[in-house]
Amino acid sequence: MQFELLDNADLDANIEVNVFLRRFHGTQAAVPPPAIVRELVQGLQGLPDPVTSVARAGGDVVGAATAWTPVMLIKPLLHLKDPMSARKVLTRWRLFSHMAVAPEQRGLGIGRELVRLLEAECRRGGAVAMFGFAEDLPEPSWPFYERLGYRILGRGETTLIGGIPSGQGPGRAGRGFDRRLTVH
């Protein structure tokens, strides 16, 4: 098994990982290209690029996890008078946006290693905490994050980031999770 960080400039690798993640999440852009993130955060320069950890077996992607700056908080953070305050909040938190391991590879520690690699890279980029949402379908995934030391939130409970609640809207079945990253 080979573990690596995705090179954001490698478009072929980005497409390969996105195709893999879409099999499990059905999303259009599981790994957002840095240019899109930069466009969303106009006026807030210096935000970290997305980070994606990848597991390969025989050259094929068998697992991936991605985290990026929580750009959905930009509008709520605009109330801050100082753009540096908004940038500080956004660079300290990472949204754990997608994770998947091929069914035939589950139970081998691949997910744990993907998260470890992702957290280490986010920490190097200045993150002090991560948060996300674990869907309940087809089966709950939040117990996985709980085993890794994440705090599992109750239904309807949200993570506060810079005083702003961050949670999933109504109609999504699952649980939020968050964790402070330790410094090694």
Side-chain angles (χ1 to χ4, degrees), residues 44-48 69-70 77 84-94 122-129 161:
L44 289 174
Q45 305 303 318
L47 293 179
T69 303
L77 286 171
M84 291 300 288
S85 296
R87 184 179 302 116
K88 182 178 179 183
V89 169
L90 290 171
T91 57
R92 296 180 59 145
W93 283 85
R94 295 296 186 287
C122 288
R123 194 179 302 107
R124 271 192 288 283
V128 298
I161 300 173

Side-chain angles (χ1 to χ4, degrees), residues 123-181:
R123 194 179 302 107
R124 271 192 288 283
V128 298
M130 294 180 72
F131 73 103
F133 186 78
E135 300 280 354
D136 276 349
L137 301 171
E139 61 189 54
S141 57
W142 60 265
F144 167 78
Y145 297 101
E146 187 173 45
R147 285 191 301 274
L148 296 179
Y150 282 82
R151 176 178 68 125
I152 305 304
L153 305 174
R155 297 200 188 278
E157 192 178 355
T158 60
T159 297
L160 287 179
I161 300 173
I164 297 168
S166 177
Q168 293 296 322
R172 295 203 55 197
R175 300 274 181 102
F177 59 89
D178 63 15
R179 177 178 172 187
R180 298 275 176 199
L181 299 175

